[in-house]
Amino acid sequence: MNGSFDVTMLSPDQFNTVYNVLSFGFASMLATTVFLYISQARVLPKYRQAIAISATVTLIALYHYWRIFNSFEAAHATAGASFNEAYRYVDWLLTVPLLLLETIAVLNLPSGERKGLVSKLVPASAAMIILGYPGEIAVENGPKMMWGALSTLPFLYILYILFVQLTKSLESQPREVAATVSRLRLLLIATWGVYPISYLLPVIMGDSAGGAGAFVGRQIGYTVADVLAKCLFGLTIYKIARLKSAADDPAYAEAEGVH
Ligand code: RET
């Protein structure tokens, strides 16, 4: 047994809840991807990279939500098919480093500092996700806690480095930009924290990995966190890029009405 949850154990209400949550995730990724691609041209060229990366993140997630949705339906309808939990981890393995890159890109740091940050944060994010996966599919709480604890080490390291860096960059940003970067910092901590909590639901709810309640809770938690961490975060990056474009260039501020 690989620990993947048997979705035929869901009640009709539980099935519909997960179905609708996955559909919401899919729609959010689709809409944000289209919006960001269209809007990319509306910031100064030096900030377009950050918007392009944000759109790539939601595009990758769009693909994975489609696969997760199909896997969920097939596991329910087809005897012998199982729900594939690995899509989320493959998604995070690609999107988390990109989210870190987009955050670093919009801050417009000197190139030495930027490279230093990338070389610390990208390997740490891969370690966090790879170490979490064996715990995700573990049936017993023991190994779930052990892998979860190991994955939390790089997680805390990433949050620490990002928090310090974002706080430091506040000093060199124009006032309106600083307020939004400060909100970005909160959004990051608040949404990234939802992932480990969702992961621990089988333990918190005393509902083992085979439990339907914890499965539904986990799907809701991961999906809502993904929409906040990818869509809302990407839109906030777009807002920062517009504010910085306006601060850099009065003609842009006038033409776009950003002040
Ligand atoms: C795991 C395992 C348990 C311990 C921790 C985890 C953290 C996961 C995080 C995922 C973030 C994903 C994002 C995706 C957006 O594209 C792997 C659940 C700490 C923080 C931001």
Side-chain angles (χ1 to χ4, degrees), residues 86 128 136 148 207 258:
M128 171 182 87
E136 179 73 47
D207 196 4
V258 182

Side-chain angles (χ1 to χ4, degrees), residues 29 57 61 88-89 91-96 99 128-133 135-136 144 147-156 158-159 188 191-200 222 225-227 229-230:
M29 298 305 161
V57 166
R88 284 195 190 276
Y89 279 74
D91 181 80
W92 297 344
L93 201 52
L94 295 166
T95 56
V96 174
L99 281 172
M128 171 182 87
I129 292 152
I130 292 168
L131 290 170
Y133 185 65
E136 179 73 47
K144 187 179 273 297
W147 291 109
L150 288 176
S151 161
T152 301
L153 299 176
F155 173 67
L156 294 177
I158 296 168
L159 289 188
L188 202 128
T191 58
W192 286 39
V194 176
Y195 293 92
I197 295 170
S198 308
Y199 170 93
L200 278 181
Y222 286 156
D226 269 351
V227 170
K230 296 175 166 97

Side-chain angles (χ1 to χ4, degrees), residues 59-99:
L59 182 64
I60 293 170
L62 169 68
Y63 165 76
H64 283 116
Y65 270 91
W66 174 59
R67 299 307 301 258
I68 292 170
F69 193 87
N70 285 345
S71 170
F72 179 68
E73 273 197 305
H76 194 257
T78 322
S82 65
F83 180 58
N84 187 350
E85 299 270 11
Y87 286 130
R88 284 195 190 276
Y89 279 74
V90 177
D91 181 80
W92 297 344
L93 201 52
L94 295 166
T95 56
V96 174
L98 289 171
L99 281 172

